[in-house]
């Protein structure tokens, strides 16, 4: 909410302006992250399109790494680390409710894999192999090599 509100204000004040978003994040809500990704992609597609750069310094973990993929230009600080892993959720309720949550996570995982694979040199299957049942920590240089960022600075 806060990021979308700020971006909305800036884009109204200066249509078509270049925007840089700086991240240092351990991640967060998948649903909120997808809302921000959709908003950023919408800004890039407007008639007076905005060039969006996302730079991450420090930590670009979990959903922050997915959000990074929404930018025109993706930057990681030289000492930044990226974390790619399966999403997590709490499931409480009867058997059917838990199964519904599992189905939702499977759908979200597919979307996350698509976002990473769109610009990566790695296939969806290879990304999935690296993240399955573990945290996959990646240096900035390795992130660039895999195509998860465009520049290391």
């Amino acid at each position: 909410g806060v990021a979308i509100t700020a971006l909305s204000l800036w884009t109204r004040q200066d249509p078509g302006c270049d925007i840089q978003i700086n991240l240092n994040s351990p991640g967060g809500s998948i649903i909120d992250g997808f809302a921000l990704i959709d908003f950023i992609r919408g800004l890039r597609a407007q008639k007076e399109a905005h060039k969006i750069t996302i730079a991450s310094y420090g930590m670009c973990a979990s959903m922050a790494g997915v959000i990074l993929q929404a930018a025109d230009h993706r930057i990681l600080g030289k000492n930044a680390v990226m974390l790619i892993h399966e999403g997590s959720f709490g499931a409480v309720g009867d058997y059917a409710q838990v199964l519904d949550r599992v189905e939702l996570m499977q759908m979200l995982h597919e979307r996350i894999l698509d976002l990473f694979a769109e610009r990566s040199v790695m296939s969806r299957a290879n990304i999935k192999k690296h993240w399955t049942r573990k945290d996959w920590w990646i240096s900035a240089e390795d992130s660039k090599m895999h195509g998860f960022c465009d520049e290391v600075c």
Side-chain angles (χ1 to χ4, degrees):
V2 174
I4 291 173
T5 301
L7 288 168
S8 294
L9 177 64
W10 295 336
T11 59
R12 282 193 308 275
Q13 291 175 342
D14 192 358
C17 67
D18 290 350
I19 297 172
Q20 180 163 327
I21 301 167
N22 296 318
L23 299 175
N24 179 18
S25 174
S29 164
I30 295 173
I31 300 300
D32 292 340
F34 274 124
L36 182 56
I37 288 166
D38 288 345
F39 190 81
I40 289 168
R41 286 184 158 191
L43 293 176
R44 292 174 56 200
Q46 287 180 355
K47 183 177 178 183
E48 292 185 45
H50 296 270
K51 180 183 179 214
I52 309 290
T53 298
I54 300 178
S56 185
Y57 304 99
M59 182 180 284
C60 187
S62 196
M63 200 60 202
V66 182
I67 292 167
L68 181 71
Q69 305 311 303
D72 293 293
H73 191 67
R74 305 161 298 163
I75 301 170
L76 285 177
K78 183 174 180 63
N79 295 301
V81 291
M82 178 178 273
L83 169 63
I84 299 176
H85 64 166
E86 295 173 302
S88 62
F89 68 96
V92 178
D94 62 31
Y95 182 72
Q97 290 170 320
V98 171
L99 285 179
D100 288 345
R101 293 290 290 190
V102 169
E103 287 179 18
L104 172 62
M105 284 307 298
Q106 288 172 335
M107 179 180 65
L108 296 175
H109 280 168
E110 295 303 314
R111 290 180 182 175
I112 290 168
L113 286 166
D114 286 343
L115 285 168
F116 276 119
E118 275 178 11
R119 294 164 70 184
S120 173
V121 298
M122 296 181 73
S123 68
R124 292 172 89 259
N126 200 8
I127 295 166
K128 188 173 183 176
K129 180 183 88 176
H130 280 82
W131 85 354
T132 299
R133 299 184 184 240
K134 67 176 188 153
D135 287 345
W136 181 28
W137 289 99
I138 314 166
S139 69
E141 287 297 334
D142 285 346
S143 294
K144 183 177 178 189
M145 179 183 70
H146 294 310
F148 300 136
C149 73
D150 303 305
E151 178 184 349
V152 175
C153 64

